[in-house]
Amino acid sequence: MKGKKLTLTQKLMFIGGTIVLASLLATSAVSVWKSSHALNRLGKDNSQRQSEQLATLVRMVLEEEVQKAKAIASLRSVVDAAELVSAQGAEGAQEAVQKANEGLISIMRSAGQDYEGIFLSDASGLLYGGVLHDGNTKVYPGVQIKDRDYFKRARETGKAVIGDVIVSKITNEPVAVICVPLLNKDGRFLGILGTSLKIGFLTDTVSNTKVGTTGYAYMTDKEGTIIAHPNKDLIFKLNLHKVAGLESLAAAMDSGKAGVVEYQYKGDDKISGYAPVGINGWMVGITQTKSEFLEPVRAMAWTVGGISGVAVLITLVVFFLFSRKISKPILVAVEGLTEGADQVAAASSQVSSASQQLAEGSSEQAASLEETSSALEEMSSMTRQNADNAKQADSIVKASAKDIAEARQSMQALTQSMGQISQASAETQKIIKTIDEIAFQTNLLALNAAVEAARAGEAGAGFAVVADEVRNLAMRSAEAAKNTAQLIEDTVKKVSDGESILKDANEAFGKVAEGSTKIGELVGEIAAASSEQAEGIGQVNRAVSEMDKVVQRNAATAEESASAAEELNAQAEQMRHFVQTLADMVGFRAETGSVERRVSQRRLSAKGDAQPGGQAKEKTKGNGGKRPFVPEKVPAQVKPEELIPFDDDFSEF
């Protein structure tokens, strides 16, 4: 269920209040942002500047202590003791060592509590003299320091050095050894003088430095270990590299340069300026929470918020008075626009319904015609294919008839050749018969010769042998002639049979040639008929295609008309909706009952126009003509979503 719509007065008050409030908030936001940015930059600059100043102070103090240590190392008693120890050893220079210790005791008394002690060593790093802050000279002698870093650096460089901060085993306080090399006139290394400087005063100097209310200073060595901090419990126990949340701070301080870093620690946003002391990798840092120096910005934001509230209240009063004056003329226009919108919506609804039915009918007709066109096109394709096949069959039959005619001529020639072969066989048979007669006569002559040789006795013995051979030869010739005659007789018989079969085949080829001729004539007639049929179907297909195009254009036109009618209806309903929205804005309320009645009447009239079969109701005019029934002025007020669903929501238009 939709909530109550805002009137024009309420919307103007809302818009005016929103604009004023947004402007004030934007201005305030920019001011707060710039102020925050400026304070943040100022806080960073102050942190870095203070850290640099504090680092300079620490460096100056240490340099001053180095100068003091050099002054102590230049005392005559210290130099004499170092030379004698180097020449005679600690045992042989006890008097000089004792005099040096007395001088160091005097210095310790004047130095107060700044030093834990002062000691002397030979070139090998073995202590032979020294005094604690309480005057005790028995602790240092015999202690070996050759492995201490400060001793090695002093011996290698020949310059004064400051050792790392360590916890003294004597006092359990943090100390730093200032080591000064002792050299003879030739520059030979004789040993060192060391002062155990208590750095508690440095810790106090650093820890007493305050930044605002919660800010503080601290100092680290080259490993990132805290050596000065307001919280004494953190000294030598906290390493920046090993604490979660301080990684960015530790990485920044490892650079050995001055700068500022932002980090978050235990839920607080902080900034820290840092600067190098310049000695042993020590770094001094100044840290403070961002919320502290941004407190003025929050106070300013609350002040701006109060001013914004007063300004919005004044704006609401002004817009209320202004909207009351412009609402009355709009109410009059709303009533007239409402009536016009209702009439346009009613007419466009009927036009839309009729156009929709026309579009649906045209679409169905176009679909049916498209299917018919497709079927005719398929038939045309099949007919064209049949005609092509008939033409190909006609060509094949004509080629076959030609081949059959040539085969028939060949058979006739073969028949003639077989006849000639039969004649030649008959002649050969006659020749064989003649040879057979000759062989018979030769045989008779051989017999006669044999008889005559027998009669002749021994004189005719040779002639008898010849006659015998002639008779044998005649018998063999007769036998060969007989076999040859038999073969030729068989050949003549087979040639006669082949000639008979060839005659039958020749007659069959004649019949096939006649049949092929008739088939060729029929196939030619079929091919001609198929070509004419394909041409006719093609003409029908072209005509149906033209009809299909026309119907498609009609369907498209009908759909465009329906779409235009729908758009007109939508525009009318949208205009009515805008009018209703305008009426709601100015506080005009239409009667709900009359709106529902008009909606029902419009639906009934639309249903009456959309009867089955696409025929609309008609009524007779006074002149006898007919027109679609259109209800006269119907005071309908239809909601847009009842005719055409809207995707957009214009409720807040």
Side-chain angles (χ1 to χ4, degrees):
M1 181 177 180
K2 291 186 177 180
K4 185 178 180 181
K5 295 183 179 179
L6 298 177
T7 63
L8 178 61
T9 301
Q10 294 171 336
K11 289 186 176 181
L12 287 176
M13 292 175 65
F14 174 76
I15 293 172
T18 302
I19 292 174
V20 172
L21 183 60
S23 301
L24 291 174
L25 290 178
T27 304
S28 303
V30 172
S31 300
V32 170
W33 178 80
K34 288 186 175 180
S35 300
S36 301
H37 185 69
L39 288 175
N40 190 28
R41 185 173 63 251
L42 181 61
K44 290 182 177 179
D45 293 341
N46 288 336
S47 296
Q48 183 174 349
R49 184 171 59 255
Q50 289 181 351
S51 64
E52 291 175 348
Q53 292 174 353
L54 189 57
T56 301
L57 177 61
V58 173
R59 182 170 60 254
M60 291 174 61
V61 171
L62 293 176
E63 289 176 350
E64 183 179 356
E65 294 299 330
V66 170
Q67 294 301 322
K68 290 180 180 180
K70 288 181 178 179
I72 296 172
S74 65
L75 292 176
R76 184 72 262 172
S77 59
V78 173
V79 174
D80 291 342
E83 290 179 351
L84 287 175
V85 170
S86 176
Q88 302 177 8
E91 295 294 334
Q94 283 298 319
E95 185 177 353
V97 172
Q98 185 176 357
K99 186 180 290 188
N101 286 339
E102 291 175 354
L104 294 178
I105 290 173
S106 176
I107 292 173
M108 287 295 293
R109 289 174 181 171
S110 63
Q113 301 296 322
D114 292 342
Y115 297 102
E116 180 188 69
I118 301 175
F119 55 87
L120 298 170
S121 80
D122 60 12
S124 65
L126 181 66
L127 300 185
Y128 59 82
V131 61
L132 293 177
H133 65 281
D134 58 359
N136 188 350
T137 60
K138 304 297 183 181
V139 175
Y140 288 123
V143 177
Q144 182 60 256
I145 62 170
K146 66 177 181 179
D147 294 329
R148 306 289 174 88
D149 181 67
Y150 56 81
F151 178 82
K152 293 178 179 179
R153 287 194 290 146
R155 183 177 59 185
E156 292 173 358
T157 62
K159 297 180 181 180
V161 299
I162 300 176
D164 296 332
V165 178
I166 60 175
V167 178
S168 173
K169 296 181 180 179
I170 299 174
T171 61
N172 289 326
E173 294 182 8
V175 296
V177 176
I178 300 176
C179 183
V180 179
L182 299 175
L183 306 175
N184 64 3
K185 294 180 180 180
D186 298 331
R188 185 167 61 87
F189 180 72
L190 302 178
I192 61 100
L193 178 140
T195 60
S196 295
L197 178 66
K198 295 179 181 180
I199 66 168
F201 72 98
L202 285 177
T203 301
D204 295 338
T205 301
V206 172
S207 61
N208 290 334
T209 302
K210 296 293 183 182
V211 183
T213 304
T214 61
Y216 58 88
Y218 59 94
M219 187 164 61
T220 65
D221 62 9
K222 61 183 180 182
E223 303 297 333
T225 302
I226 296 294
I227 59 176
H229 197 279
N231 187 354
K232 306 297 183 182
D233 296 334
L234 298 180
I235 296 176
F236 293 113
K237 295 181 181 179
L238 188 146
N239 188 303
L240 300 182
H241 293 280
K242 299 179 180 179
V243 179
L246 300 181
E247 294 86 354
S248 58
L249 176 61
M253 296 187 74
D254 285 343
S255 65
K257 300 179 181 178
V260 181
V261 64
E262 295 187 17
Y263 65 98
Q264 191 177 59
Y265 182 63
K266 293 183 178 180
D268 295 330
D269 292 327
K270 294 186 176 184
I271 63 171
S272 178
Y274 53 90
V277 175
I279 296 174
N280 292 347
W282 294 1
M283 297 290 291
V284 173
I286 300 291
T287 185
Q288 63 181 134
T289 59
K290 296 178 69 175
S291 60
E292 181 179 348
F293 61 80
L294 292 179
E295 182 63 30
V297 176
R298 286 194 291 271
M300 182 180 67
W302 281 107
T303 302
V304 172
I307 296 174
S308 300
V310 175
V312 169
L313 182 60
I314 295 173
T315 302
L316 292 178
V317 174
V318 172
F319 271 86
F320 176 77
L321 297 176
F322 173 74
S323 63
R324 299 292 293 177
K325 291 184 179 181
I326 65 174
S327 298
K328 292 180 181 180
I330 297 177
L331 288 174
V332 178
V334 167
E335 293 179 358
L337 288 174
T338 300
E339 293 295 330
D342 290 339
Q343 294 179 9
V344 172
S348 62
S349 177
Q350 292 183 357
V351 173
S352 174
S353 177
S355 298
Q356 189 66 34
Q357 291 180 4
L358 178 60
E360 291 177 357
S362 298
S363 298
E364 293 177 358
Q365 184 179 5
S368 300
L369 191 57
E370 185 176 0
E371 292 177 358
T372 303
S373 176
S374 176
L376 284 174
E377 186 175 357
E378 186 175 358
M379 290 174 59
S380 175
S381 176
M382 294 300 295
T383 303
R384 191 177 298 107
Q385 184 177 1
N386 291 336
D388 293 339
N389 293 336
K391 288 181 180 180
Q392 293 179 3
D394 185 30
S395 299
I396 294 172
V397 168
K398 289 180 179 179
S400 299
K402 183 177 180 181
D403 294 338
I404 291 173
E406 293 177 356
R408 185 177 182 183
Q409 292 177 359
S410 299
M411 291 298 294
Q412 290 177 355
L414 181 60
T415 302
Q416 293 177 359
S417 177
M418 290 294 290
Q420 294 175 358
I421 291 173
S422 178
Q423 292 177 0
S425 298
E427 293 296 330
T428 303
Q429 190 174 16
K430 293 178 180 179
I431 294 171
I432 293 301
K433 187 177 182 180
T434 301
I435 293 172
D436 186 34
E437 291 176 354
I438 292 172
F440 181 74
Q441 291 177 3
T442 302
N443 189 19
L444 291 178
L445 291 175
L447 289 175
N448 293 327
V451 171
E452 291 298 331
R455 288 178 182 176
E458 293 181 1
F463 187 73
V465 173
V466 174
D468 186 54
E469 292 297 329
V470 171
R471 184 168 57 85
N472 291 333
L473 180 61
M475 291 178 65
R476 291 171 59 190
S477 297
E479 185 177 358
K482 182 179 180 182
N483 293 333
T484 302
Q486 185 65 36
L487 291 174
I488 290 175
E489 185 177 357
D490 292 340
T491 300
V492 170
K493 183 178 180 182
K494 289 179 180 179
V495 168
S496 178
D497 293 340
E499 184 178 6
S500 176
I501 293 171
L502 191 59
K503 288 181 179 180
D504 295 338
N506 193 11
E507 292 178 357
F509 269 108
K511 294 179 180 180
V512 170
E514 293 178 359
S516 298
T517 302
K518 292 181 179 180
I519 290 172
E521 293 175 356
L522 293 176
V523 171
E525 293 178 0
I526 292 172
S530 297
S531 298
E532 293 178 358
Q533 184 180 7
E535 185 177 358
I537 292 177
Q539 293 177 354
V540 173
N541 192 19
R542 287 193 293 273
V544 171
S545 297
E546 293 297 329
M547 292 173 63
D548 183 40
K549 292 179 181 178
V550 174
V551 172
Q552 291 288 351
R553 284 197 298 269
N554 291 340
T557 304
E559 290 179 357
E560 291 175 359
S561 300
S563 177
E566 292 286 345
E567 183 65 23
L568 177 61
N569 191 12
Q571 293 294 331
E573 292 302 325
Q574 190 173 6
M575 182 179 68
R576 188 204 59 75
H577 179 71
F578 291 160
V579 171
Q580 184 62 43
T581 303
L582 184 60
D584 293 339
M585 288 173 58
V586 298
F588 178 77
R589 293 290 181 270
E591 295 180 1
T592 305
S594 62
V595 173
E596 298 298 332
R597 288 194 298 273
R598 283 180 285 183
V599 172
S600 300
Q601 291 175 359
R602 183 176 302 168
R603 288 179 175 175
L604 290 174
S605 62
K607 290 181 179 179
D609 291 339
Q611 296 294 327
Q615 299 296 328
K617 286 186 178 180
E618 298 177 350
K619 72 175 183 178
T620 305
K621 297 175 62 178
N623 58 2
K626 292 183 179 180
R627 64 178 178 85
F629 172 72
V630 178
E632 297 180 356
K633 183 179 180 182
V634 178
Q637 188 175 9
V638 182
K639 294 181 179 179
E641 57 269 24
E642 293 177 345
L643 289 178
I644 299 175
F646 287 99
D647 293 332
D648 298 330
D649 184 9
F650 296 95
S651 61
E652 297 298 331
F653 178 76

